[in-house]
Amino acid sequence: MPTNPETFFTVKQISAALAVSARSVRRWIQSKELVAHRLGRSVRIAESDLEAFRKRRRG
């Protein structure tokens, strides 16, 4: 049974997609509003976590 691999984005990609600064994205990650995954020294945000974040922010 094939599974669809999760798509991951960088902080820079998320900030561009949401039209906010990278600092804002990092602040959301630090406050646990946005779930992020650390891969070594890299920080990545899963597409599913981004969608959940967007739904929560809309109210």
Side-chain angles (χ1 to χ4, degrees):
M1 179 170 21
T3 60
N4 293 335
E6 184 78 58
T7 302
F8 287 88
F9 301 102
T10 64
V11 169
K12 186 176 180 179
Q13 289 172 316
I14 296 295
S15 65
L18 298 178
V20 297
S21 68
R23 186 175 182 180
S24 292
V25 175
R26 287 191 203 96
R27 201 173 314 138
W28 293 332
I29 292 168
Q30 185 177 15
S31 68
K32 307 229 188 283
E33 289 182 63
L34 178 60
V35 177
H37 305 274
R38 296 208 180 268
L39 306 170
R41 295 186 71 197
S42 300
V43 175
R44 298 290 185 265
I45 297 94
E47 184 174 21
S48 59
D49 293 327
L50 175 60
E51 289 306 315
F53 173 78
R54 283 180 165 169
K55 287 180 184 175
R56 283 193 307 272
R57 297 286 288 190
R58 285 187 203 147

